[in-house]
Amino acid sequence: SQELEQSPQSLIVQEGKNLTINCTSSKTLYGLYWYKQKYGEGLIFLMMLQKGGEEKSHEKITAKLDEKKQQSSLHITASQPSHAGIYLCGADRRGGGNKLTFGTGTQLKVEL
Amino acid sequence: EPEVTQTPSHQVTQMGQEVILRCVPISNHLYFYWYRQILGQKVEFLVSFYNNEISEKSEIFDDQFSVERPDGSNFTLKIRSTKLEDSAMYFCASRDSYRQETQYFGPGTRLLVL
């Protein structure tokens, strides 16, 4: 089965600092999704990457997918308390909107 | 902005009882999914549903589980005889079309089996 590893498992940063979360797949992906989850709540869609080398940004969050389509990073610039939560990467292995396989998640806390 | 809704938000049930979890996908979406997340574990795929039939199901989705789209708006997950290990957060997701592949998730139903 598709394995996704996320690192770090948890992260505490001071408000205003930059941070990066990584997601690594053991196999080439069709698509890579980033979601944010607040504890005990649903998954909020952030970004989807499909092309090798692709980079997308939304507000202060930038996601990149490497050329081999096996590794993605999520970078947050000038973190704010509103960025706190659990970040999940999800892999689409076959395309066509099939099932997503999720990583273990990275818990982010932003301290004032 | 359209969103996926789920009811109830929390459900407590006795082992062996049947539960039905309900979802209202985003209007005009055609593909529907159920995932679950046991506390402290990964979000796991259960089943996908398109054109009134199951497209794919995981090993978790055994004979105790069933899905249905009883009308044009609801999508349900039924667990016939709940077990302690069915305790989890259950998420419904929906997707627009073959080309628009992003799955949008609901807020989840927290199921506790006693």
Side-chain angles (χ1 to χ4, degrees):
Chain A
S1 64
Q2 184 72 64
E3 291 294 333
L4 278 182
E5 295 293 330
Q6 278 187 245
S7 63
Q9 285 190 325
S10 63
L11 195 54
I12 302 174
V13 299
Q14 282 194 320
E15 184 180 6
K17 295 296 186 183
N18 303 336
L19 63 107
T20 300
I21 298 168
N22 295 298
C23 176
T24 302
S25 168
S26 57
K27 298 180 182 178
T28 299
L29 303 170
Y30 175 83
L32 191 287
Y33 294 75
W34 283 100
Y35 289 87
K36 179 185 175 185
Q37 182 183 27
K38 290 196 172 179
Y39 182 76
E41 298 182 11
L43 280 65
I44 300 168
F45 171 71
L46 296 175
M47 275 172 276
M48 178 185 71
L49 304 165
Q50 281 187 309
K51 299 176 183 176
E54 187 174 12
E55 179 176 321
K56 288 187 177 178
S57 294
H58 177 68
E59 297 180 346
K60 294 185 178 180
I61 301 177
T62 300
K64 300 178 184 179
L65 183 63
D66 74 337
E67 290 291 341
K68 291 184 178 180
K69 298 175 66 176
Q70 286 185 265
Q71 190 164 17
S72 179
S73 62
L74 187 81
H75 184 76
I76 299 177
T77 303
S79 58
Q80 300 169 352
S82 60
H83 288 129
I86 301 169
Y87 289 82
L88 299 172
C89 62
D92 179 347
R93 192 160 51 91
R94 299 198 307 266
N98 286 294
K99 66 179 182 182
L100 296 180
T101 303
F102 285 92
T104 50
T106 295
Q107 183 164 21
L108 171 64
K109 294 183 180 178
V110 180
E111 292 183 334
L112 299 174
Chain B
E1 186 173 329
E3 57 184 19
V4 177
T5 59
Q6 291 185 241
T7 54
S9 58
H10 295 77
Q11 179 146 9
V12 180
T13 190
Q14 295 292 324
M15 189 171 56
Q17 295 296 305
E18 175 182 286
V19 294
I20 297 177
L21 309 183
R22 291 182 167 79
C23 169
V24 179
I26 294 173
S27 180
N28 297 324
H29 277 196
L30 301 175
Y31 297 78
F32 314 110
Y33 308 81
W34 284 102
Y35 292 80
R36 79 172 186 189
Q37 185 179 33
I38 295 172
L39 188 64
Q41 297 186 22
K42 296 181 183 182
V43 175
E44 301 173 289
F45 168 78
L46 291 178
V47 65
S48 58
F49 191 86
Y50 170 71
N51 200 25
N52 285 320
E53 59 183 26
I54 291 174
S55 309
E56 186 177 4
K57 59 183 180 180
S58 72
E59 293 177 352
I60 304 168
F61 195 89
D62 61 21
D63 292 344
Q64 293 299 312
F65 291 87
S66 63
V67 290
E68 190 178 29
R69 188 156 163 81
D71 53 42
S73 59
N74 290 284
F75 180 51
T76 62
L77 174 69
K78 181 193 291 186
I79 309 175
R80 290 190 184 80
S81 178
T82 51
K83 304 171 188 172
L84 295 177
E85 53 265 36
D86 293 328
S87 296
M89 183 78 110
Y90 288 81
F91 295 108
C92 172
S94 70
R95 177 172 69 87
D96 182 358
S97 65
Y98 187 82
R99 285 190 176 182
Q100 174 51 263
E101 299 185 44
T102 299
Q103 295 179 28
Y104 293 93
F105 284 73
T109 293
R110 184 171 296 282
L111 175 66
L112 178 60
V113 182
L114 301 177

